[in-house]
Amino acid sequence: MSAERNDQLTGHEYDGIREYDNPTPGWWHMIFFASIVFSAFYVLFWHFSPISWTIEDKWAAAKTRENAILFGTVGNLEGTEKDILRMKADPKFMAVGKSLFEGTCAQCHAVDGGGMPGTGVNLTDDHYKNAKKIEDLFLVITNGANAGAMPAQSQRFSQNERVLLAAYAASLRGTKPAAPKAPEGEVIPPWPTGPAPDASGAPLTPTSSGK
Ligand code: HEC
């Protein structure tokens, strides 16, 4: 170390303290300038480049892959009576619907759909505020209702997931929740009967009676 040291005094002196002239080493400067150059590329790439990605992009891509696995056999679903009844008749999909419901909807509608004071309505009775037919459940879930009191779910869930959630919400009708909230809205006709549940796990052939 002492061999490389340049024991030249700088020539100034304060209170008897004198300073050696030891410049920062070359490798230190290299790292310093390299980090400046790197930062320019960093800012250009992450803040201005169209090819960089965000955490939201990665989430969306992961979601797409996950949906492809989950819905691989059924393809793209529409918010139609046919597709909602098809999901509702499939116990495997209803199990997925239940977990989506518990993760997002139960906070307002209660875990058994019985509703909660001051927020989500009872989904188990025959009274509906925003639905006349089963497809309306998909529309309420997608677009929300009552100025956001029921939040729109179109950003959070893919279309297939919203069809599944509509089917799960429909399946809650007629069940007996622990603490049912008083009915709200109008009594509507029963849901149309859908295809029979398919225990084999094969893709279902919808046999709905139509509208
Ligand atoms: C922040 C609380 C909240 C969350 C979360 C929420 N809801 Fe709601 N939901 C409501 C409220 C409040 C209403 C009643 C809106 C109104 O007054 O018209 C409602 C209405 C509904 C309706 C229509 C019922 C009717 O009587 O017309 C359905 C179906 C529904 N929600 C399903 C869901 C599903 C499925 C989820 C989860 C993806 C969910 N909700 C999440 C608060 C919530």
Side-chain angles (χ1 to χ4, degrees):
M1 193 178 138
S2 57
E4 290 173 28
R5 227 168 87 171
N6 179 5
D7 285 353
Q8 298 283 316
L9 285 169
T10 53
H12 41 68
E13 179 179 339
Y14 299 101
D15 297 338
I17 297 169
R18 289 177 297 160
E19 188 190 358
Y20 277 132
D21 181 13
N22 281 330
T24 39
W27 60 261
W28 193 95
H29 280 120
M30 289 296 288
I31 293 174
F32 180 63
F33 290 119
S35 67
I36 292 173
V37 172
F38 174 81
S39 71
F41 285 105
Y42 183 93
V43 168
L44 281 175
F45 184 76
W46 289 108
H47 295 277
F48 298 104
S49 156
I51 59 160
S52 64
W53 56 91
T54 64
I55 199 156
E56 288 85 1
D57 298 336
K58 291 189 83 174
W59 185 80
K63 202 78 191 156
T64 307
R65 283 197 301 275
E66 204 183 294
N67 277 335
I69 296 166
L70 177 60
F71 292 104
T73 54
V74 298
N76 290 333
L77 298 170
E78 304 287 338
T80 55
E81 176 190 308
K82 187 181 98 174
D83 281 353
I84 295 171
L85 291 176
R86 179 185 180 192
M87 288 290 103
K88 185 167 163 288
D90 188 322
K92 291 195 309 313
F93 278 113
M94 283 300 86
V96 179
K98 182 176 163 58
S99 79
L100 296 181
F101 187 88
E102 286 173 357
T104 301
C105 324
Q107 56 174 306
C108 292
H109 290 284
V111 74
D112 55 12
M116 293 234 200
T119 170
V121 292
N122 187 337
L123 298 173
T124 68
D125 58 27
D126 289 333
H127 295 248
Y128 288 84
K129 284 179 87 174
N130 303 280
K132 296 261 176 287
K133 43 192 182 3
I134 200 163
E135 303 95 293
D136 296 339
L137 301 181
F138 172 79
L139 294 177
V140 172
I141 293 166
T142 300
N143 304 320
N146 197 359
M150 162 68 203
Q153 304 292 327
S154 51
Q155 298 298 311
R156 185 188 288 253
F157 293 110
S158 69
Q159 170 145 316
N160 275 16
E161 287 172 317
R162 281 177 276 123
V163 172
L164 189 51
L165 281 162
Y168 185 73
S171 78
L172 291 170
R173 185 175 181 184
T175 60
K176 296 274 166 278
K181 195 179 173 186
E184 289 167 75
E186 307 290 320
V187 175
I188 64 167
W191 306 139
T193 35
D198 185 339
S200 71
L204 292 159
T205 325
T207 56
S208 124
S209 54
K211 295 204 181 92

